[in-house]
Amino acid sequence: MTSWHGYRARWNGEEYPVSPEPHALELWVRLRSETPRDGFEEVEPGCHVRTVPVEECESLHFVTVVCRWRDEPFQVHDERDGRLLLEYLGGSALKARDLGLDRVERGVWRAWAPRAEVTGMREEAVPLTSKFLNV
């Protein structure tokens, strides 16, 4: 996996990684494609973009990769040398300490864990609706 979290939108029946692009009166998104497509502009080799109003999208999601480590829930943030940077989702500071996690700020606990010890890795997509986008 190359992206551990980010936005995705469905536009014209296809799913694209996107970046939000606020405009004065509405939210737009920058659709990205590795291959050339009609209406997309190549901004660098292998990166083609098209900016559209979010209302034109069939759906918009924020996607993260979640997993379990030592029977506890985590979100994956990075990978290096066969180890994953995990952020604890369990909400218990006592459990985080018991797991030997590092506190990076109030309520945020992380650790580098061997990838072989991580189970149940999957994408979790949270739909973003007009209620959250003010559109």
Side-chain angles (χ1 to χ4, degrees):
M1 293 180 192
T2 57
S3 177
W4 298 107
H5 58 274
Y7 294 95
R8 284 200 204 133
R10 179 167 286 285
W11 180 75
N12 286 347
E14 294 189 52
E15 194 167 281
Y16 295 91
V18 299
S19 301
E21 186 173 292
H23 284 227
L25 300 176
E26 61 189 350
L27 179 65
W28 289 50
V29 291
R30 289 174 52 90
L31 307 168
R32 291 188 308 277
S33 173
E34 293 178 357
T35 58
R37 298 187 179 270
D38 285 341
F40 282 65
E41 176 186 342
E42 185 173 31
V43 294
E44 61 184 53
C47 183
H48 303 78
V49 299
R50 178 176 181 155
T51 305
V52 299
V54 75
E55 295 93 28
E56 289 185 14
C57 296
E58 297 147 31
S59 65
L60 179 64
H61 290 82
F62 186 71
V63 181
T64 59
V65 176
V66 296
C67 66
R68 298 199 63 85
W69 181 57
R70 298 183 179 172
D71 275 339
E72 294 295 327
F74 286 86
Q75 181 179 27
V76 182
H77 282 270
D78 198 1
E79 180 174 24
R80 289 190 197 141
D81 302 322
R83 299 175 69 79
L84 298 172
L85 177 59
L86 305 178
E87 186 171 297
Y88 180 55
L89 298 176
S92 167
L94 294 175
K95 185 64 175 179
R97 283 190 202 122
D98 289 346
L99 290 167
L101 306 179
D102 297 321
R103 181 176 182 245
V104 295
E105 64 181 84
R106 184 178 182 189
V108 180
W109 299 84
R110 291 185 176 170
W112 285 94
R115 187 179 183 123
E117 294 179 9
V118 173
T119 61
M121 200 174 334
R122 63 181 173 77
E123 288 187 345
E124 187 172 89
V126 176
L128 302 176
T129 64
S130 60
K131 173 182 172 185
F132 299 112
L133 301 173
N134 292 325
V135 293

